[in-house]
């Protein structure tokens, strides 16, 4: 029996390929399914089972696509918000044979009503389960969020507590295989490592040390954001998604200006590249931040053109966008030299340091805009700063004064650069970024 963990960078999504004696199972597949097909073929295995721990909110499922290619059934939990068109329903106590491995179903609602965990047994061993695929119920160092059902947060938090008690009964030796690692929007306290056991979590996971009432209150006190693209994920993960493009690289195109009406020009090169020179009207989202912020900033139904360092970066960016349902990347261009050489307009973004910010504090005609999350801002901020979370900024730009200079800050300057590009695209003229931001500020005091 062989188990391979497959990580989707940016989304911190973890899926799994289990192979045994000529058969294979996939747990929580992503949309670009060759990552499962290729190793299964190399191991001489046929994919016979596809399991989903729940309906994902943060990425497009590849379960339906994988079923079409392999002929395997997709197994999903009971009580989904809508029937999953490409899946069959499985329930607690159901059991599935995959070569010499056995998978048993455990209903673990709370994160969602349809959440399942899948217990893994090795038929050659006689001492109980080997591991458990917990989806978004139990993570390494954290547990799933419980805010997807407005008005029912207390109920689902209680359900999650009860589900976690079921998982704890599996035994301390059981290996933990969650659907996400650190950096996912599906939790806020996950450990950086992606390996653990039920016993280690029992002793070290802060949420597992609470009684039921305290657990519920702790979950109700959490604050999580829900990007607008989650609604798109909900639809695609009910209906089933179309395949990703076979060749991710879109055609190159000489883009010399950004047109707000015709397309979204997205500069994925990086913070320093954008600050040095960019096409006016373009939106800065570094490629390693696309998964986190494209769903807040971009319209999935509108065409997207990319400005990249090279073709490889364009291809990575297209794939990241397709994993969250953004399928309309039409072209890319590399670098800014061709733009400048053609005589077309380009712009730069000013970066300022701590001393400049300190000198501006208390002066008129200036605003310090902190685009960190609410919890980050509450934990510490520069007195007098205005807080608007980056994800909310596109819908709140009208609240900002156009007669003042605006310095944007975040934790280090990366999110602030995205925010500054949004302001510039919306016609704000006097915008700069506090490079280093909160990290620089706290290191100077």
């Amino acid at each position: 029996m062989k188990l391979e963990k497959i990580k989707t960078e940016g989304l911190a999504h973890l899926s799994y390929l289990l192979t045994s004696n000529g058969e294979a199972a996939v747990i929580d597949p992503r949309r670009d399914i060759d990552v499962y097909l290729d190793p299964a073929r190399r191991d001489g295995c046929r994919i016979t089972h596809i399991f989903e721990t729940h309906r994902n909110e943060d990425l497009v499922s590849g379960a339906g696509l994988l079923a079409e290619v392999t002929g395997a059934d997709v197994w999903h939990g009971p009580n989904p918000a809508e029937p999953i068109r490409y899946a069959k329903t499985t329930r607690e106590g159901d059991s599935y044979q995959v070569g010499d491995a056995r998978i048993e179903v455990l209903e673990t609602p709370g994160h969602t009503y349809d959440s399942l965990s899948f217990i893994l047994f090795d038929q050659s061993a006689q001492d109980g389960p080997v591991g458990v695929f917990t989806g978004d119920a139990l993570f390494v160092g954290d547990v799933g969020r419980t805010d997807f059902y407005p008005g029912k947060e207390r109920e689902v938090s209680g359900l999650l507590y009860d589900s976690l008690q079921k998982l704890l009964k599996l035994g301390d030796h059981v290996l933990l295989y969650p659907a996400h690692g650190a950096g996912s929007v599906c939790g806020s306290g996950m450990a950086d490592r992606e390996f653990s056991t039920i016993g280690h979590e029992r002793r070290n996971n802060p949420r597992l040390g609470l009684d039921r009432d305290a657990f519920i209150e702790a979950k109700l006190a959490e604050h999580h954001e829900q990007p607008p693209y989650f609604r798109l994920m909900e639809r695609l993960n009910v209906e089933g998604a179309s395949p990703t493009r076979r060749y991710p690289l879109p055609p190159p195109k000489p883009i010399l200006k950004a047109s707000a009406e015709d397309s979204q020009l997205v500069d994925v090169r990086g913070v320093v590249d954008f600050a040095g020179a960019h096409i006016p009207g373009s939106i800065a989202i570094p490629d390693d931040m696309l998964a986190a912020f494209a769903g807040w900033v971009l319209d999935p139904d509108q065409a997207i053109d990319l400005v990249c360092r090279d073709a490889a970066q364009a291809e990575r960016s297209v794939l990241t966008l397709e994993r969250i349902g953004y399928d309309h990347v039409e072209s890319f261009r590399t670098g800014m030299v061709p733009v400048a050489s053609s005589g077309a307009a380009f712009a730069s973004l000013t970066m300022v340091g701590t001393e400049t910010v300190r000198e501006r504090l208390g002066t008129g005609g200036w605003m310090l805009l902190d685009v960190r999350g609410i919890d980050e801002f509450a934990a510490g901020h520069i007195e007098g700063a205005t807080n608007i979370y980056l994800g909310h900024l596109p819908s709140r730009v009208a609240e900002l004064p156009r007669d003042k200079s605006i310095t944007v800050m975040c934790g280090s300057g990366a999110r602030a650069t995205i925010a500054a590009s949004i302001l510039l695209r919306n016609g704000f003229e006097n915008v700069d970024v506090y490079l280093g931001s909160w990290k620089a500020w706290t290191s100077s005091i």
Side-chain angles (χ1 to χ4, degrees), residues 4-15:
E4 182 177 351
K5 176 179 66 181
I6 296 165
K7 183 173 182 177
T8 305
E9 298 293 345
L11 292 166
H13 168 247
L14 305 176
S15 55

Side-chain angles (χ1 to χ4, degrees), residues 95-299:
S95 180
Y96 301 90
Q97 200 72 29
V98 183
D100 294 327
R102 188 175 85 254
I103 290 179
E104 291 188 1
V105 179
L106 191 69
E107 293 181 25
T108 49
H111 174 68
T112 61
Y113 285 123
D114 59 353
S115 289
L116 297 176
S117 294
F118 297 101
I119 311 169
L120 176 62
F121 293 83
D122 183 348
Q123 292 292 87
S124 65
Q126 304 299 320
D127 57 350
V130 173
V132 58
F133 303 97
T134 56
D136 285 17
L138 177 60
F139 300 123
V140 179
D142 199 5
V143 300
R145 56 191 287 185
T146 52
D147 62 325
F148 288 132
Y149 301 94
K152 297 183 178 181
E153 291 87 353
R154 184 173 293 277
E155 174 196 340
V156 294
S157 296
L159 287 174
L160 181 59
Y161 179 87
D162 297 338
S163 294
L164 293 169
Q165 306 316 300
K166 294 164 74 171
L167 290 169
L168 291 175
K169 291 177 181 177
L170 295 177
D172 283 357
H173 67 286
V174 172
L175 298 170
L176 177 64
Y177 300 113
H180 290 287
S184 167
V185 296
C186 294
S188 56
M190 299 181 206
D192 287 338
R193 60 189 161 77
E194 293 167 1
F195 54 91
S196 190
T197 63
I198 292 293
H200 184 87
E201 293 307 304
R202 184 196 307 277
R203 292 186 291 273
N204 295 283
N205 190 314
R207 292 297 187 230
L208 298 184
L210 303 175
D211 63 28
R212 195 174 195 275
D213 289 341
F215 178 89
I216 291 172
E217 293 306 318
K219 296 303 291 180
L220 294 177
E222 290 179 353
H223 180 269
H224 297 282
E225 300 288 354
Q226 294 193 32
Y229 88 99
F230 275 17
R231 306 289 82 78
L232 173 63
M233 298 301 94
E234 290 174 356
R235 177 174 60 80
L236 292 177
N237 291 337
V238 165
E239 299 173 356
S242 60
T244 56
R245 65 178 84 188
R246 184 166 180 80
Y247 301 104
L249 189 65
K253 178 182 177 182
I255 307 164
L256 300 182
K257 63 179 180 178
S259 171
E261 294 78 23
D262 298 334
S263 71
Q264 301 165 105
L265 182 56
V266 184
D267 193 324
V268 300
R269 294 174 299 152
V271 169
V272 174
D273 302 85
F274 183 86
H278 61 266
I279 298 173
S282 57
I283 305 167
I285 313 179
D287 64 335
D288 60 353
M289 300 177 75
L290 278 170
F293 293 106
W296 284 105
V297 175
L298 304 180
D299 183 343

Side-chain angles (χ1 to χ4, degrees), residues 317-333:
S317 299
V318 170
L319 193 54
T320 296
L321 289 167
E322 287 185 338
R323 287 171 180 161
I324 59 172
Y326 284 73
D327 292 345
H328 302 298
V329 180
E330 294 191 345
S331 67
F332 78 100
R333 72 156 304 107

